[in-house]
Amino acid sequence: MLSPVVLIAMLVVIVLMFSLRRKYRIVPFLLIAFLIPPGQQFVLGGIHLFVGRIVVLAGLIGMIVSKHPSGASRFVGGFDKFDKLFLAYALLHSIAFILFYSQMAAVVHQFGYLWDTLGAFFLLRFLIRDDKDIERVIRVFALIAVVVVASMLTEHFRHVNVFGLLGGVPIEPELRNGSVRAQGPFGHPLLAGTFGAISLPLFFWLWRSGHSRNTAVLGVVSCTLMTLLTGSSTPLLACAA
């Protein structure tokens, strides 16, 4: 299942992951990672090649072929203890999963899991290197929140998920006790609301830093609405926390 619009967007982002300067690659990567419905994919030999998974691979290849000072690490601080802990966590998770199910399908599933988890982790370690990069990421999150909350408002009032028109998420929103649980491009309303809730502290940091205060306010408003429009208690509790 792959919409022609999504295919074109994916190809454009892949080109940008090779052509843009390192500090700007994070922008198209985050936009396609968050705004493309999770069901958009190829299936090849039993392996689900999701759009985000393909872009991660392109980003890693771009990281490897990027010019880098001789002897310098591609990651800030080098391959440190946190990297080793995360690597150990991901590998042990996969080993436990495979041993529990003891099926070839579990091996294929965990291959995809490691591709997503470790690939995205080390790609982001390469792309995010200083406070300027962090600020850029948060500003992109604000843009994502604005786009998503606009679609969620459409879901709430018109009962149509515009991202569902692409395929990969339902067109008609989920209802609970007659209330709409909007989800936008996310796989579930809980994911959409939790993204909004955990992004709030980032926008407060952006406000306190004195940079892009208008963007910070826009982010806070959008993420608060995202949390409310899901009609779920989990995002509300995360927001309160």
Side-chain angles (χ1 to χ4, degrees):
M1 179 186 294
L2 193 67
S3 163
V5 175
V6 174
L7 176 61
I8 293 171
M10 181 186 72
L11 294 175
V12 169
V13 169
I14 289 174
V15 171
L16 293 176
M17 294 299 286
F18 286 96
S19 58
L20 290 177
R21 294 173 61 186
R22 190 273 312 165
K23 63 181 180 179
Y24 295 123
R25 295 180 199 176
I26 191 70
V27 177
F29 174 73
L30 291 177
L31 289 176
I32 201 165
F34 282 95
L35 295 180
I36 296 300
Q40 293 288 316
Q41 59 183 298
F42 297 99
V43 180
L44 183 64
I47 298 176
H48 292 258
L49 298 177
F50 299 103
V51 169
R53 191 170 284 175
I54 296 170
V55 173
V56 164
L57 178 60
L60 291 173
I61 295 173
M63 177 185 76
I64 293 170
V65 301
S66 293
K67 293 181 180 180
H68 210 69
S70 179
S73 173
R74 281 182 164 77
F75 309 133
V76 175
F79 190 76
D80 59 22
K81 292 181 179 179
F82 185 81
D83 297 322
K84 295 174 183 177
L85 284 172
F86 190 83
L87 177 61
Y89 153 74
L91 292 176
L92 290 173
H93 174 283
S94 291
I95 291 171
F97 190 97
I98 291 169
L99 290 176
F100 182 80
Y101 288 100
S102 299
Q103 297 177 6
M104 191 59 197
V107 177
V108 175
H109 181 276
Q110 288 306 292
F111 175 77
Y113 167 80
L114 291 175
W115 182 341
D116 290 338
T117 306
L118 295 180
F121 177 79
F122 288 112
L123 176 59
L124 291 174
R125 282 280 280 121
F126 170 70
L127 296 177
I128 304 173
R129 308 183 69 86
D130 53 32
D131 284 354
K132 289 292 184 183
D133 291 333
I134 294 172
E135 181 181 328
R136 188 174 297 109
V137 167
I138 299 174
R139 291 171 66 181
V140 175
F141 277 175
L143 174 59
I144 291 168
V146 170
V147 174
V148 173
V149 81
S151 74
M152 292 174 73
L153 286 169
T154 303
E155 276 186 85
H156 184 81
F157 291 108
R158 302 190 64 181
H159 292 197
V160 175
N161 184 351
V162 293
F163 286 98
L165 300 176
L166 295 174
V169 291
I171 295 178
E172 295 184 4
E174 180 181 337
L175 299 176
R176 174 186 282 178
N177 297 326
S179 299
V180 174
R181 303 184 72 194
Q183 66 183 78
F186 290 84
H188 192 276
L190 287 175
L191 297 176
T194 304
F195 169 81
I198 64 176
S199 296
L200 284 174
L202 300 178
F203 295 127
F204 285 124
W205 176 86
L206 190 62
W207 170 272
R208 292 189 62 186
S209 69
H211 303 293
S212 305
R213 287 196 163 184
N214 291 336
T215 302
V217 171
L218 198 60
V220 168
V221 172
S222 298
C223 282
T224 302
L225 287 173
M226 284 179 64
T227 304
L228 297 173
L229 289 168
T230 59
S232 306
S233 59
T234 299
L236 289 174
L237 291 173
C239 185

